[in-house]
Amino acid sequence: MSETKQYVLTGDAVLSSALAGGKGAALARLAATFPVPAFFVISADAFNKDGLKTFAAAAVLQGVLQLGGSNLFAVRSSGLEEDGAASAHAGQFATELNITGEDVAAAAHRVWLSGFTDTLAQYRRAHGLSGEPQPPAVIVQVMVKARAAGVAFSADPVTGDRNVVVISAIAGLADKLVGGEEDGDSYRVALDGTTIEAELIGEVSVLTDAERAAVAAMARQAEAHFGSPQDIEWAFDDGGLNMLQSRPITTLGSIVQAAFQDDDVVIWDNSNIVESYPGVTSPLTFSFARYVYSHVYQAFSRLMGVRDENVEEHRAVFENMLGRVDGRIYYNLLNWYRALALFPGFKANRAFMENMMGVSEALPQEMADRIAQPSTSGWERFADNLKFARVGCGLIWHEVRIRRTIAQFYERLNEALARPDAEIDGMSAVALAAEYRLLERRLLAKWDAPLVNDFLCMIAFGAAQKALGKWAGDDGLAFLSSMLIGQGDIVSAEPARMIRAMGAIVRGRTDVIDRLRAGDRTAVHDLPRLGAAFDAYIAKFGDRCTQELKLESRTLHEDATQVLMAIAAAADTRKEAAEAEQAQDLHLLIPGFGQRVIARWLLQWAKARVRDRENLRFERTRLFGRVRRIFVALGARFTEAGVLDDRRDVFNLTVDELLGAVEGASLTNDLRSLARQRERELRDQMARPDPPERFSVRGAHITGVAGLEAQASSTGEGGEIRKGLACCKGVVVAKVRVIDDPRVEALSPGEILVARHTDPGWIAVFANAAGVIAERGSLLSHSAIVAREMGVPCVVSLKGVTQWLKTGDTVRLDGGAGTVERMAAGTTEKAG
């Protein structure tokens, strides 16, 4: 008799998963709390390849009789690892339904044999499960005479949302629904039992509202019972709702995400910052940029009249203005709004400040209202405007003092960067850390001139744009663009002029040109004038490389190939770039004397601030160049000491990790392994497509951004004529060259540059451009400013242009209308 008992399990014996398998043990636990149809379990060792063993056959027959021999039965598997949290083994074992009492033994044997299939072995290998597959125990359970049945998930198995129960229901038994042979009704039920969403297959719902609420309650109760989100099978018969089985939801990625979720939404946007930090950015650059943004904008808030205690209270906001999404730098848009909301007068002047931020899309009204409730009364609006007026007075004071502020800034900068580069390269690790701390104190904590001028620039340009657009329409806006051309003291355009001059020096020397085109740096010294001009260029602009704000970028000091290629291209017989159209006279555009005086003043103000903005950004390049040199030198010291494999491994570490290794605050001494791990992560990030320009996530960042690579970004409108943002008037018909990396690609004279975006490191390419088309940018972006300075037609913010146009396509670029037309093959190139 004792031998019989070990083959057929009932009561407490079923609680042992080692004997009854995972599904059987779970069913026994359910039976203590839920209405579960009667069942027993046949242990796996009750079988051999021929069928049930002798004692087992008698025990099974007795068990069937005890359940009611005239009933129909469901015969299911219960493997040791079946319905586990890591792998459900769904569909890998056989299930047989509507089995008569006399056929139970044969059906149970067939289910047991399903544990030996090749399909099961392949499943286990695919899921990384070790060991040979073991045959399952077998559950024999009374069939429910279901009028409706289905499955329910106590959390959304796709999004991981634990505030909703997802139910699928079908009339009758659920076997065809579970097997995917038929579709059922779908319901989403909230925590309070109300139906959020219902998708019906037929005209009549399978479940009533009350039945949906009952199933949802059962699913949540199962989750509470087992301690994790559950996937349950259920059925309604004449007696009510029955629980058939429950197992963990195995889409753990989504459920882990749900565990972190809450109602907080984070909006990530890189429409503005991508010009400074395109593509994957190293940990060192991100940690440095994050520090800079935090401290600089805390200082700016104080300049704007925000009290010290208010700034300190919101320090976490300032420290998280930037985020890193799959290696790319993004703005945390809500934190930018939270910072702006501290400024006096934000409530009454939100739209104006949003425009100053330059994001591609304003924050939804309801989100902005949660950050700062709008003024509701006339008195409140008056008080807000009064505060804003005070800020305006402060800005007027800053405008009056701006030249002095800039001069003092240059003085501090030159003093802080006075140490020769060669001396930096030879410093000890301790001295390098001290040098970096010095820059923090002297410059990063006092970055007033660029901040104030940038803000004044946005106000001046915005005011001029609004006034001329209102008084003279599109012609007024074109006039504004044309007035920004030809400011010879903008440093951003100087490299292009120097490259053209060097091209003229070498013109006609094909032997030297060929060597320059091949990247041979020694060729510049074959001609003394060229050598002197080249050395002067590198001395001044050596840190102005492509993606210059990314510390990992190689500077022209290290690799001047792009400049050499640009000189070679400029040495060719040059096609003149399209001349910008002559601007109309302001008297004709704005007849009114008073309006004309205001417009002229606004134009001069905007020109001055744009000029200083570009020139101060060059000083930022110098600072970043010094920081880059400090950390590369620190990498060299660590490599010499055997701490790192290569000096450039520092870019895979953060500022705190590097300085901590010098100053004694490091959390690990194994920087080599950390750098190697980060290098692997960077390679993986570079292999994935960029996330969308703007997206939102809920809850914890680490889980909220999963799967972003699947979100395809828009590539713009179709057709042969597309419209972007007009930046510099002029019309040119020419071939385009799509350039991804100006370090290895050059533009031939007379070609139109097409790029996703540009930064000051692209200036060598601009030297030969007949026009510029950029996928991203604004009227104040680098592409627009340099194009206006050089007088070539320019259109920016033309979505998807790098996919639409191919190198060699001929286009008609109208920089005044903002249009690009792809021409038929064979169209003659011309400028106009």
Side-chain angles (χ1 to χ4, degrees), residues 79-150:
L80 281 173
E81 296 171 299
E82 190 173 4
D83 288 357
S87 55
H89 285 74
Q92 300 306 308
F93 298 104
T95 293
E96 302 207 10
L97 303 177
N98 294 314
I99 303 299
T100 63
E102 61 185 16
D103 290 332
V104 164
H109 186 233
R110 290 192 293 271
V111 171
W112 181 81
L113 288 173
S114 68
F116 297 95
T117 63
D118 292 339
T119 302
L120 176 61
Q122 291 170 1
Y123 173 90
R124 293 179 60 81
R125 286 195 295 271
H127 286 75
L129 300 175
S130 60
E132 291 298 319
Q134 300 296 317
V138 178
I139 299 170
V140 178
Q141 188 173 30
V142 174
M143 284 287 298
V144 173
K145 296 177 181 178
R147 58 177 177 81

Side-chain angles (χ1 to χ4, degrees), residues 284-293 295 416-417 419 424 427-445 551 623-624 626-632 634 654-656 658-660 662-663:
L284 181 61
T285 293
F286 174 68
S287 63
F288 178 63
R290 186 169 179 261
Y291 174 90
V292 169
Y293 271 75
H295 286 72
L417 302 182
R419 198 184 299 275
I424 296 290
M427 281 182 170
S428 69
V430 172
L432 288 165
E435 185 72 11
Y436 174 80
R437 296 298 192 193
L438 181 68
L439 293 181
E440 281 187 342
R441 293 194 305 274
R442 289 188 178 180
L443 293 179
L444 297 179
L551 300 178
L623 170 63
F624 275 61
R626 175 53 56 90
V627 170
R628 179 186 292 112
R629 186 172 289 273
I630 287 172
F631 282 117
V632 170
L634 189 58
T654 68
V655 171
D656 286 344
L658 290 167
L659 296 181
V662 176
E663 299 169 342

Side-chain angles (χ1 to χ4, degrees), residues 426-608:
M427 281 182 170
S428 69
V430 172
L432 288 165
E435 185 72 11
Y436 174 80
R437 296 298 192 193
L438 181 68
L439 293 181
E440 281 187 342
R441 293 194 305 274
R442 289 188 178 180
L443 293 179
L444 297 179
K446 300 178 182 178
W447 200 254
D448 54 349
L451 275 174
V452 171
N453 187 79
D454 267 9
F455 200 68
L456 292 172
C457 177
M458 288 187 287
I459 294 173
F461 191 86
Q465 188 179 37
K466 185 174 182 179
L468 269 74
K470 179 179 179 181
W471 294 333
D474 290 342
D475 287 339
L477 297 178
F479 185 84
L480 171 62
S481 293
S482 67
M483 286 295 290
L484 296 176
I485 293 173
Q487 296 194 72
D489 49 356
I490 288 184
V491 72
S492 295
E494 188 177 345
R497 289 193 289 268
M498 293 178 71
I499 286 171
R500 288 178 179 176
M502 287 187 280
I505 293 172
V506 78
R507 188 168 295 143
R509 289 293 303 270
T510 56
D511 56 329
V512 177
I513 292 172
D514 289 342
R515 290 169 59 196
L516 291 172
R517 189 175 287 114
D520 183 358
R521 189 165 180 163
T522 62
V524 298
H525 296 292
D526 284 5
L527 300 174
R529 283 180 59 210
L530 177 62
F534 178 83
D535 290 344
Y537 183 99
I538 297 299
K540 185 168 186 177
F541 298 109
D543 287 321
R544 176 141 274 190
C545 56
T546 304
Q547 302 180 12
E548 64 187 16
L549 298 188
K550 295 168 72 169
L551 300 178
E552 63 270 22
S553 296
R554 293 186 183 274
T555 69
L556 299 180
H557 293 292
E558 298 177 83
D559 183 3
T561 300
Q562 67 181 104
V563 177
L564 301 174
M565 293 169 63
I567 295 170
D572 291 341
T573 302
R574 181 171 176 79
K575 294 181 182 179
E576 292 300 324
E579 293 292 333
E581 295 180 11
Q582 183 65 37
Q584 297 184 45
D585 190 279
L586 193 60
H587 288 77
L588 299 177
L589 287 174
I590 306 176
F593 175 76
Q595 292 176 337
R596 193 165 61 247
V597 169
I598 295 172
R600 197 178 302 280
W601 181 83
L602 288 173
L603 284 167
Q604 293 304 318
W605 185 30
K607 287 180 68 172

Side-chain angles (χ1 to χ4, degrees), residues 605-733:
W605 185 30
K607 287 180 68 172
R609 297 286 66 77
V610 169
R611 178 200 61 221
D612 288 338
R613 177 178 182 261
E614 286 300 296
N615 292 344
L616 285 166
R617 287 190 171 190
F618 175 66
E619 303 308 321
R620 180 186 63 184
T621 300
R622 292 178 61 202
L623 170 63
F624 275 61
R626 175 53 56 90
V627 170
R628 179 186 292 112
R629 186 172 289 273
I630 287 172
F631 282 117
V632 170
L634 189 58
R637 301 294 90 79
F638 284 172
T639 303
E640 292 161 4
V643 175
L644 295 175
D645 295 324
D646 183 87
R647 63 177 187 167
R648 291 185 63 84
D649 286 348
V650 292
F651 299 122
N652 292 326
L653 303 170
T654 68
V655 171
D656 286 344
E657 287 165 348
L658 290 167
L659 296 181
V662 176
E663 299 169 342
S666 178
L667 298 179
T668 179
N669 291 328
D670 191 4
L671 295 183
R672 176 185 283 106
S673 295
L674 190 56
R676 288 174 178 173
Q677 176 190 336
R678 299 255 176 85
E679 179 64 30
R680 290 191 296 270
E681 291 173 352
L682 281 172
R683 286 197 297 268
D684 291 342
Q685 290 161 351
M686 289 176 181
R688 291 190 287 267
D690 290 342
E693 181 178 296
R694 181 171 181 164
F695 63 94
S696 61
V697 298
R698 287 185 179 274
H701 177 83
I702 193 170
T703 55
V705 298
L708 283 175
E709 62 274 10
Q711 299 183 25
S713 58
S714 171
T715 56
E717 58 183 287
E720 294 303 299
I721 300 179
R722 299 193 183 183
K723 193 174 192 308
L725 181 63
C727 288
C728 185
K729 293 187 75 172
V731 177
V732 62
V733 178

Side-chain angles (χ1 to χ4, degrees), residues 217-452:
M218 177 178 278
R220 286 194 296 271
Q221 189 178 358
E223 176 178 321
H225 184 75
F226 287 107
S228 66
Q230 296 290 299
D231 163 9
I232 71 169
E233 290 186 28
W234 53 269
F236 279 102
D237 63 9
D238 292 339
L241 178 60
N242 295 274
M243 172 75 81
L244 302 183
Q245 68 175 4
S246 181
R247 59 191 174 202
I249 300 176
T250 54
T251 51
L252 290 181
S254 299
I255 300 308
V256 169
Q257 175 181 341
F260 284 98
Q261 281 191 339
D262 50 37
D263 290 332
D264 289 338
V265 176
V266 178
I267 298 178
W268 297 105
D269 188 302
N270 75 344
S271 57
N272 214 341
I273 200 170
V274 71
E275 188 174 330
S276 299
Y277 298 100
V280 174
T281 301
S282 72
L284 181 61
T285 293
F286 174 68
S287 63
F288 178 63
R290 186 169 179 261
Y291 174 90
V292 169
Y293 271 75
S294 172
H295 286 72
V296 163
Y297 281 96
Q298 287 182 62
F300 182 57
S301 297
R302 294 184 177 97
L303 285 174
M304 291 293 292
V306 181
R307 297 191 304 273
D308 285 348
E309 59 269 26
N310 220 359
V311 173
E312 180 60 28
E313 182 182 345
H314 291 83
R315 185 170 61 179
V317 169
F318 290 102
E319 290 177 349
N320 291 283
M321 298 179 82
L322 297 184
R324 193 163 178 262
V325 180
D326 203 27
R328 285 81 169 171
I329 294 185
Y330 277 72
Y331 284 144
N332 183 328
L333 201 56
L334 292 182
N335 275 350
W336 278 87
Y337 271 84
R338 291 181 181 111
L340 277 179
L342 299 177
F343 290 6
F346 172 79
K347 291 182 181 180
N349 297 275
R350 198 190 96 196
F352 174 79
M353 292 192 181
E354 282 179 341
N355 187 53
M356 295 301 98
M357 290 174 68
V359 295
S360 60
E361 180 183 346
L363 198 66
Q365 182 71 40
E366 61 274 15
M367 288 188 178
D369 288 348
R370 283 200 296 269
I371 291 173
Q373 285 292 328
S375 304
T376 56
S377 66
W379 169 250
E380 192 175 354
R381 284 191 291 273
F382 174 77
D384 284 339
N385 282 317
L386 195 62
K387 294 176 184 177
F388 193 66
R390 190 173 75 244
V391 173
C393 292
L395 288 173
I396 293 172
W397 174 242
H398 285 305
E399 172 64 29
V400 171
R401 297 186 71 255
I402 190 64
R403 291 187 179 277
R404 181 179 178 184
T405 302
I406 291 174
Q408 291 173 339
F409 173 77
Y410 278 134
E411 185 177 341
R412 289 198 307 274
L413 182 78
N414 291 327
E415 182 182 348
L417 302 182
R419 198 184 299 275
D421 288 344
E423 187 175 337
I424 296 290
D425 294 341
M427 281 182 170
S428 69
V430 172
L432 288 165
E435 185 72 11
Y436 174 80
R437 296 298 192 193
L438 181 68
L439 293 181
E440 281 187 342
R441 293 194 305 274
R442 289 188 178 180
L443 293 179
L444 297 179
K446 300 178 182 178
W447 200 254
D448 54 349
L451 275 174
V452 171

